[in-house]
């Protein structure tokens, strides 16, 4: 009898990633071993390692999944860009940050400990910042945001917003605040306050 050959299953890989996200969110990445992940999935450690050799590979794949879900935020805005449009974008933003909260809690350590992850994260981060700069420039051309910002000012506005969005969760949790719908809406309004001065007064 020939040895059994396993074929990668997209469903199995997705199940692994979803369970890993759940466990990482609950316990932190350091507390979740590959054996613990396999046990929670009801599969053998060997089966798990057939799909992902180690925890670093799992986290790298989650990074790709996370940024793919963030793609929806960067779709072209077809309607008039108003404060409510901004709120909708920010709600999507923070809902996803909460979904992948382990990464935003730990990203400094995760990037420090995995050079491959760090390189990929920085590539995507620069892409996202550039996309946001281009959005502001396009909206300025359409008269929907202030058109008197020079390129450095546009980038600074985007960078401040990026840092706020990426660090808000850690700040809120450090104060003992319970993260719920009310807390996420507070985060949305903080981001709206940051960007509001750059929208035209008519909006």
């Amino acid at each position: 009898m020939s040895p059994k050959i396993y074929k990668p299953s997209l469903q199995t890989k997705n199940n692994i990633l979803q369970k890993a996200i759940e466990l990482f969110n609950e316990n932190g990445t350091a507390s979740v071993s590959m054996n613990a992940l396999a046990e929670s999935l009801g599969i053998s450690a060997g089966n798990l390692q057939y799909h992902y050799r180690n925890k670093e590979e799992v986290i790298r794949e989650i990074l790709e999944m996370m940024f793919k879900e963030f793609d929806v935020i960067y779709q072209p805005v077809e309607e008039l860009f108003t404060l409510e449009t901004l709120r909708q974008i920010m709600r999507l933003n923070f809902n996803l940050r909460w979904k992948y909260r382990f990464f935003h809690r730990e990203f400094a350590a995760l990037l420090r400990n995995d050079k491959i992850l760090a390189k990929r994260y920085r590539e995507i981060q620069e892409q996202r910042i550039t996309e946001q700069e281009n959005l502001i420039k396009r909206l300025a051309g359409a008269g929907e945001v202030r058109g008197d910002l020079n390129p450095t000012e546009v980038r600074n506005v985007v960078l401040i917003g990026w840092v706020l969005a990426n660090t808000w969760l850690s700040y809120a949790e450090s104060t003992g605040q319970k993260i719920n719908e009310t807390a996420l809406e507070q985060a949305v309004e903080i981001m709206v306050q940051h960007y509001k001065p750059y929208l035209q007064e008519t909006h």
Side-chain angles (χ1 to χ4, degrees):
M1 179 183 291
S2 60
K4 187 174 181 179
I5 298 175
Y6 289 96
K7 293 184 179 180
S9 162
L10 292 179
Q11 184 59 53
T12 299
K13 295 188 76 170
N14 184 64
N15 291 343
I16 292 169
L17 296 177
Q18 294 300 332
K19 179 57 70 172
I21 292 167
E22 177 186 330
L23 294 178
F24 293 161
N25 282 340
E26 290 178 357
N27 306 299
T29 58
S31 299
V32 181
S33 66
M34 290 292 280
N35 285 340
L37 178 55
E39 183 178 352
S40 69
L41 286 160
I43 62 176
S44 68
N47 192 356
L48 173 59
Q49 290 182 315
Y50 176 76
H51 293 88
Y52 298 102
R53 289 175 296 177
N54 50 50
K55 190 160 53 176
E56 286 75 20
E57 285 192 355
V58 174
I59 294 171
R60 291 171 200 159
E61 192 72 16
I62 291 173
L63 175 72
E64 299 295 336
M65 175 188 292
M66 177 177 71
F67 274 110
K68 186 174 181 180
E69 288 197 46
F70 269 94
D71 282 345
V72 67
I73 297 174
Y74 295 89
Q75 297 300 313
V77 178
E78 301 295 341
E79 57 190 25
L80 187 67
F81 195 93
T82 65
L83 284 177
E84 189 52 39
T85 308
L86 180 58
R87 284 190 176 93
Q88 291 172 3
I89 291 173
M90 289 298 109
R91 287 186 187 111
L92 288 171
N93 185 304
F94 283 110
N95 283 335
L96 285 174
R97 291 183 190 281
W98 180 243
K99 178 178 179 179
Y100 295 97
R101 53 193 175 275
F102 82 88
F103 190 89
H104 299 288
R105 286 169 175 158
E106 303 181 38
F107 82 95
L110 292 173
L111 301 187
R112 184 170 58 250
N113 295 330
D114 185 346
K115 292 182 179 179
I116 295 174
L117 183 74
K119 180 177 184 294
R120 180 60 178 147
Y121 178 83
R122 288 167 187 144
E123 289 173 352
I124 301 173
Q125 176 176 248
E126 186 56 37
Q127 174 190 336
R128 293 310 197 205
I129 290 172
T130 299
E131 287 170 343
Q132 291 184 34
E133 287 181 275
N134 291 337
L135 173 61
I136 290 178
K137 291 173 183 176
R138 184 174 66 79
L139 293 174
E144 296 179 27
V145 302
R146 282 172 42 191
D148 60 342
L149 299 174
N150 64 44
T152 298
E153 290 171 326
V154 170
R155 186 167 183 85
N156 287 343
V157 169
V158 169
L159 287 176
I160 292 169
W162 182 266
V163 172
L164 279 173
N166 276 282
T167 59
W168 175 83
L169 178 60
S170 295
Y171 163 75
E173 291 187 322
S174 74
T175 67
Q177 183 175 3
K178 183 178 180 181
I179 307 302
N180 52 25
E181 186 175 345
T182 300
L184 292 176
E185 194 62 25
Q186 178 188 26
V188 168
E189 291 305 316
I190 289 171
M191 297 303 296
V192 168
Q193 184 174 335
H194 167 60
Y195 286 110
K196 186 176 180 180
Y198 306 101
L199 287 171
Q200 293 290 15
E201 292 184 6
T202 55
H203 301 323

